[in-house]
Amino acid sequence: MAANEHCSRTVKSELLAMADPKYKSFSAKLTPTVAPERIIGIRIPALRAYAKKLYKDGRASLILNEGEHEFFEENNLHAFLIEQIKDFERCIYELERFLPRIDNWATCDSLRPKCFSKNKASLLPKISKWLNSEHEYTVRFAIECLMLYYLDEDFDESYLGLVAKVKRDEYYVKMMVAWYFATALAKQWDSALPYLDEHRLCEWVHQKTIQKACESYRITAEQKEYLKGLKDIKYAYKK
């Protein structure tokens, strides 16, 4: 048996041994785009700890070079191995091979490469490319990157425009746009508010942004009242 095949089987058996039937049921409800039979049921902290073990013992490269994975947790494990790559260019290489294989919001949102925070200038061109991808979760990942890394000291108002230009019908893309603008309202209120005041977002995203912002503890009571007023106004989308 080839070394990589043996490694794959060993990893799969170790993952199956970590199964939690109750968590499997919980995960299946949260990720409706993943077939239940593809879910083992492993809690994220346990899976991340296992990924660190594989990275340290040298098995990470074999997993990263595998083809399509059978289980949801194998995809998450793949994502958690990419997270640990310190070299930015190598991380991007592995990431761009993996992004088109993501088929659910949970894997997408769990992927947080550690090297991104130290390479923000180099990351921006990659984000611009991912925003124009035909793949739903690649676009979602790009918007999430703008939300995570560019709403604080590296913020620029033009980034709001990049996200507002994303016109997609997929539910999980629209939800991420709303999440981004709700977070922008919490962190960059004056810059983000005109996108709601002037109806620059589609109605669904506009309403969902207000809903998510009003659920946030980072938005003041006064701000929430103002946003609720925008929700009640007859919507007139400005393209």
Side-chain angles (χ1 to χ4, degrees):
M1 184 185 298
N4 58 343
E5 184 179 353
H6 175 72
C7 175
S8 176
R9 291 189 179 185
T10 300
V11 168
K12 190 165 296 188
S13 65
E14 290 176 353
L15 289 173
L16 290 169
M18 298 164 67
D20 180 338
K22 291 184 179 179
Y23 192 70
K24 171 185 171 76
S25 178
F26 176 74
S27 293
K29 292 177 182 178
L30 286 179
T31 53
T33 62
V34 180
E37 60 269 22
R38 290 186 54 229
I39 298 175
I40 297 173
I42 304 175
R43 296 180 183 277
I44 295 297
L47 197 58
R48 271 208 163 92
Y50 183 62
K52 289 180 180 179
K53 175 185 175 182
L54 293 181
Y55 199 82
K56 289 180 180 179
D57 68 22
R59 288 186 284 171
S61 61
L62 291 174
I63 303 301
L64 293 173
N65 287 322
E66 279 191 348
E68 295 292 326
H69 299 302
E70 178 181 1
F71 292 109
F72 165 70
E73 284 82 0
E74 287 180 292
N75 271 335
N76 285 348
L77 178 64
H78 195 133
F80 298 157
L81 289 171
I82 291 174
E83 281 184 344
Q84 299 178 66
I85 299 173
K86 296 179 181 179
D87 180 78
F88 178 74
E89 291 302 329
R90 181 172 167 241
C91 181
I92 291 295
Y93 171 75
E94 294 294 351
L95 183 61
E96 293 194 323
R97 291 204 299 165
F98 180 65
L99 282 174
R101 295 162 59 179
I102 296 178
D103 61 2
N104 67 90
W105 71 267
T107 302
C108 180
D109 294 7
S110 297
L111 181 51
R112 305 282 178 87
K114 296 177 181 178
C115 65
F116 278 13
S117 60
K118 295 182 179 180
N119 293 275
K120 293 179 185 178
S122 299
L123 179 59
L124 276 172
K126 306 297 182 183
I127 291 174
S128 296
K129 181 174 72 171
W130 299 335
L131 284 172
N132 292 303
S133 171
E134 294 183 359
H135 180 241
E136 174 180 1
Y137 294 101
T138 298
V139 177
R140 181 180 172 97
F141 180 75
I143 299 170
E144 184 181 24
C145 285
L146 285 172
M147 181 179 73
L148 291 173
Y149 305 112
Y150 302 94
L151 280 178
D152 295 298
E153 64 271 12
D154 295 286
F155 174 71
D156 187 287
E157 287 189 355
S158 65
Y159 302 154
L160 295 167
L162 289 177
V163 178
K165 288 178 182 178
V166 175
K167 311 298 183 186
R168 304 281 292 240
D169 293 328
E170 297 100 333
Y171 173 81
Y172 289 104
V173 173
K174 292 192 295 183
M175 277 298 298
M176 181 54 74
V177 174
W179 186 10
Y180 172 86
F181 273 98
T183 306
L185 286 168
K187 293 188 172 187
Q188 304 290 344
W189 172 266
D190 291 339
S191 296
L193 187 59
Y195 284 84
L196 298 169
D197 270 337
E198 300 171 13
H199 294 174
R200 300 185 198 175
L201 307 173
C202 73
E203 183 172 9
W204 191 95
V205 171
H206 175 95
Q207 305 291 15
K208 187 63 66 173
T209 296
I210 292 173
Q211 176 190 328
K212 293 183 76 66
C214 288
E215 291 170 354
S216 173
Y217 67 89
R218 295 180 294 183
I219 301 289
T220 68
E222 183 179 340
Q223 289 171 330
K224 289 177 182 180
E225 284 303 310
Y226 185 84
L227 292 173
K228 289 175 183 177
L230 293 179
K231 190 169 186 175
D232 294 334
I233 296 173
K234 185 177 180 180
Y235 196 84
Y237 174 39
K238 295 181 180 179
K239 295 185 180 181

